[in-house]
């Protein structure tokens, strides 16, 4: 694995030092888990923002609404 050097606040260090109390095997696993969760959270945020934008565009695009309604009416139930 690649190593990186970075600075942390004292409160972060204290938390990481307690890694085994939280079920992590070592300090690196804590950091990797935190980064994975942050990455997933940011991806979800981008997805929600994208969905909101598409919904806004859809609300203003009556032609697309008509196409969607027509397609849904032909969809088997």
């Amino acid at each position: 694995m690649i190593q990186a050097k970075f600075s942390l606040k004292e409160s972060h260090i204290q938390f990481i030092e307690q890694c085994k109390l939280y079920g992590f095997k070592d300090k690196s696993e804590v950091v990797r888990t935190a980064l994975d969760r942050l990455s997933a959270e940011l991806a979800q945020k981008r997805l929600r923002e994208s969905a909101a934008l598409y919904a806004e565009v859809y609300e203003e695009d009556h032609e697309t609404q008509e196409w969607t309604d027509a397609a849904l009416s032909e969809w088997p139930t």
Side-chain angles (χ1 to χ4, degrees):
M1 246 183 246
I2 298 171
Q3 293 188 352
K5 182 178 179 180
F6 46 90
S7 300
L8 297 172
K9 293 180 181 178
E10 182 63 32
S11 60
H12 297 138
I13 298 295
Q14 290 173 359
F15 179 80
I16 290 174
E17 292 291 336
Q18 299 174 12
C19 62
K20 294 194 189 303
L21 293 175
Y22 299 108
F24 296 99
K25 69 176 187 168
D26 59 28
K27 298 171 191 175
S28 293
E29 187 180 14
V30 173
V31 174
R32 286 191 302 270
T33 300
L35 290 173
D36 288 343
R37 287 183 180 182
L38 177 59
S39 178
E41 181 182 315
L42 293 173
Q44 283 294 317
K45 181 181 177 192
R46 286 191 304 271
L47 187 59
R48 283 190 301 273
E49 289 170 351
S50 176
L53 182 58
Y54 275 108
E56 183 180 322
V57 169
Y58 179 79
E59 282 296 317
E60 297 172 3
D61 187 342
H62 299 290
E63 185 177 5
T64 301
Q65 290 176 20
E66 290 173 10
W67 293 343
T68 304
D69 291 342
L72 288 174
S73 69
E74 296 173 8
W75 193 265
T77 55

